[in-house]
Amino acid sequence: MQIQITNRDAIWSYIGTIISMGANFIMLPFLMYFLNADMLGLWYVFVSMGTITALFDFGFAVTFARNITYCWSGASELKREGVTFSDNSEPNYALMKDVLTTSRFIYAAISIVAFIILVTAGSLYVHYITRNTEGYVPVIAWIIYAVAVFLNLYYGYYASFLRGVGAITQANKNTLYARGAHIILMIILLFMGTGIIGASAAYLAYGIVFRLLGKYHFYKYQDIGRHLSLITSRTSFARLKEVFITVWHNAWRDGIISICDYLCSQASVIICSVYMPLSQTGIYSIGVQIATAINQISKTLYTAKQPEIQNAYIMSDMGKIRSIMKYVVTTFVVLFILGVIGFILVGMPLLKLIKPDAVVSIPVFLGISAYNIMLGFRDCHASYFSCTNRILYLRSYIISAISSVLLSFITMGVFNLGVWGLIGSQIISQLSYNVWYWPMKALREMYE
């Protein structure tokens, strides 16, 4: 079945991303007002550690979503690398059911492992960085946050599946509803004096609402649930193993890419917390979270168009791919620049009114933003290859991620360069190769 991302889908994608990312802006003033400097810094350590979910997912969400798109496009089989080109107008529901069954088994296993690691190693780390804080509030808040991460991981694939079948509008409506509940509950709990524990509880509620909505609407979309129920044969263990082996071929590569992305972005906050006080870590982290939000919002159109690119590739429509890529990359760059300017002119003065000493400086924010636009530009072009089920950029991403972390420890621990050491290390690690090579290679392939 052909996937066509409409203007309505694109608009809802922006709404969903802005709500999802903008929720952090909406909640930030309340967090800054109700949490002291140390608890604010600790909260953003939670956020950075929470993104470690991507590491436990190990690329399965991306890979399963891509294969759901192939099933929806009528592919007769899944391949370890590349695709089976098809002109079939009907989805392959039998193959889709095999993929869904396999995903359930995999996510049940990895979510349990993730939770065990978070409540053991994660709790020890939280206890260490809050060793001068009296009471058990930080650890209690972290346990609640870890439960939220566990549930998000266990049910998270439904959101990816919705996008995989082209249900972009519904996926973003789910985001709107869940984030709305998150914001309202967090504000209420903070006003009640629950502090960082209330913030964690609100995040837990958000995850539950978002995942349940994703599951319900996936099976409802174009009667997928009914069609799947008509497939009476059960997925045998042998078939489950076969699908797993096929998916695993690129899933582990996507997983390594997720780890690299984490090391190249959120890991800097963890490194910062090792060498600098929590209050200063919080200031740096605010800049990172805002620049990351601008990056994600600016890439919204590209994210929405990925199923269409995958569908066009299966249909051998390279002209359509070129048109989409030109449009979405230009949109990303323009929106990112406008977002940075907008935050400096509007967002930063508003935050300074609430807590002047907890706002990142303009030069530091520009440095963080420069690095993020590099990541976004790199990812737009490298993801073209993942849409074709080829993870060609794995080795270079690994090298850049490792070099970024090592340089950060050297500049922070040896030369004591502070946040500029972090920013400089990250920029150098990407400029040396990834930022220019993958856009060049993608463009050559699309226009050859």
Side-chain angles (χ1 to χ4, degrees), residues 19-199:
I19 291 298
S20 184
M21 297 291 105
N24 296 322
F25 292 93
I26 296 172
M27 293 185 291
L28 181 57
F30 295 96
L31 291 168
M32 293 174 68
Y33 182 80
F34 286 102
L35 302 182
N36 60 37
D38 285 345
M39 287 298 102
L40 182 64
L42 180 62
W43 172 252
Y44 280 107
V45 170
F46 282 11
V47 172
S48 295
M49 292 176 67
T51 57
I52 207 169
T53 303
L55 312 188
F56 295 121
D57 176 273
F58 216 71
F60 280 112
V62 175
T63 307
F64 275 127
R66 188 162 59 237
N67 282 284
I68 286 293
T69 300
Y70 299 152
C71 296
W72 191 249
S73 302
S76 58
E77 63 176 339
L78 301 179
K79 300 179 68 174
R80 295 186 181 186
E81 191 162 317
V83 300
T84 303
F85 294 100
S86 170
D87 57 2
N88 191 357
S89 60
E90 292 298 321
N92 188 336
Y93 289 108
L95 186 58
M96 181 183 290
K97 184 175 182 179
D98 290 339
V99 173
L100 290 171
T101 303
T102 305
S103 69
R104 291 194 193 99
F105 278 97
I106 291 173
Y107 275 93
I110 62 178
S111 59
I112 293 172
V113 173
F115 182 70
I116 292 172
I117 294 174
L118 289 174
V119 297
T120 53
S123 297
L124 289 174
Y125 177 73
V126 170
H127 178 71
Y128 172 76
I129 63 176
T130 61
R131 58 192 179 279
N132 296 323
T133 303
E134 295 183 0
Y136 297 97
V137 168
V139 174
I140 294 172
W142 169 245
I143 295 298
I144 296 173
Y145 198 94
V147 172
V149 170
F150 165 76
L151 293 176
N152 289 350
L153 180 60
Y154 188 70
Y155 291 109
Y157 52 86
Y158 280 110
S160 298
F161 288 176
L162 272 172
R163 296 181 183 278
V165 296
I168 305 300
T169 296
Q170 187 59 59
N172 285 286
K173 284 183 178 180
N174 293 348
T175 299
L176 175 63
Y177 302 147
R179 279 297 185 183
H182 181 196
I183 294 169
I184 293 171
L185 183 58
M186 193 209 70
I187 293 173
I188 292 173
L189 291 175
L190 287 177
F191 268 105
M192 292 173 63
T194 57
I196 195 170
I197 291 178

Side-chain angles (χ1 to χ4, degrees), residues 420-441:
W420 284 110
L422 288 175
I423 296 170
S425 299
Q426 293 170 324
I427 289 176
I428 290 171
S429 69
Q430 297 301 327
L431 271 181
S432 60
Y433 190 81
N434 287 327
V435 169
W436 59 269
Y437 179 78
W438 295 112
M440 179 182 68
K441 184 173 178 63

Side-chain angles (χ1 to χ4, degrees), residues 139-289:
V139 174
I140 294 172
W142 169 245
I143 295 298
I144 296 173
Y145 198 94
V147 172
V149 170
F150 165 76
L151 293 176
N152 289 350
L153 180 60
Y154 188 70
Y155 291 109
Y157 52 86
Y158 280 110
S160 298
F161 288 176
L162 272 172
R163 296 181 183 278
V165 296
I168 305 300
T169 296
Q170 187 59 59
N172 285 286
K173 284 183 178 180
N174 293 348
T175 299
L176 175 63
Y177 302 147
R179 279 297 185 183
H182 181 196
I183 294 169
I184 293 171
L185 183 58
M186 193 209 70
I187 293 173
I188 292 173
L189 291 175
L190 287 177
F191 268 105
M192 292 173 63
T194 57
I196 195 170
I197 291 178
S200 293
Y203 179 68
L204 172 60
Y206 155 75
I208 293 173
V209 172
F210 185 61
R211 307 312 163 186
L212 290 178
L213 286 173
K215 181 178 181 179
Y216 172 76
H217 287 290
F218 172 73
Y219 287 113
K220 184 180 177 181
Y221 182 74
Q222 294 200 22
D223 231 5
I224 287 178
R226 185 181 66 83
H227 285 290
L228 290 175
S229 68
L230 296 176
I231 310 298
T232 56
S233 60
R234 291 189 175 185
T235 302
S236 65
F237 179 78
R239 178 57 176 158
L240 189 151
K241 182 179 178 181
E242 180 185 348
V243 173
F244 172 78
I245 291 173
T246 301
V247 171
W248 176 247
H249 179 77
N250 273 334
W252 74 265
R253 291 172 170 82
D254 282 324
I256 296 296
I257 296 301
S258 297
I259 295 174
C260 292
D261 287 342
Y262 179 84
L263 293 176
C264 289
S265 54
Q266 296 298 323
S268 66
V269 176
I270 306 298
I271 296 172
C272 186
S273 70
V274 173
Y275 294 101
M276 302 178 70
L278 279 175
S279 57
Q280 295 183 33
T281 299
I283 295 172
Y284 170 74
S285 183
I286 289 172
V288 171
Q289 303 308 323

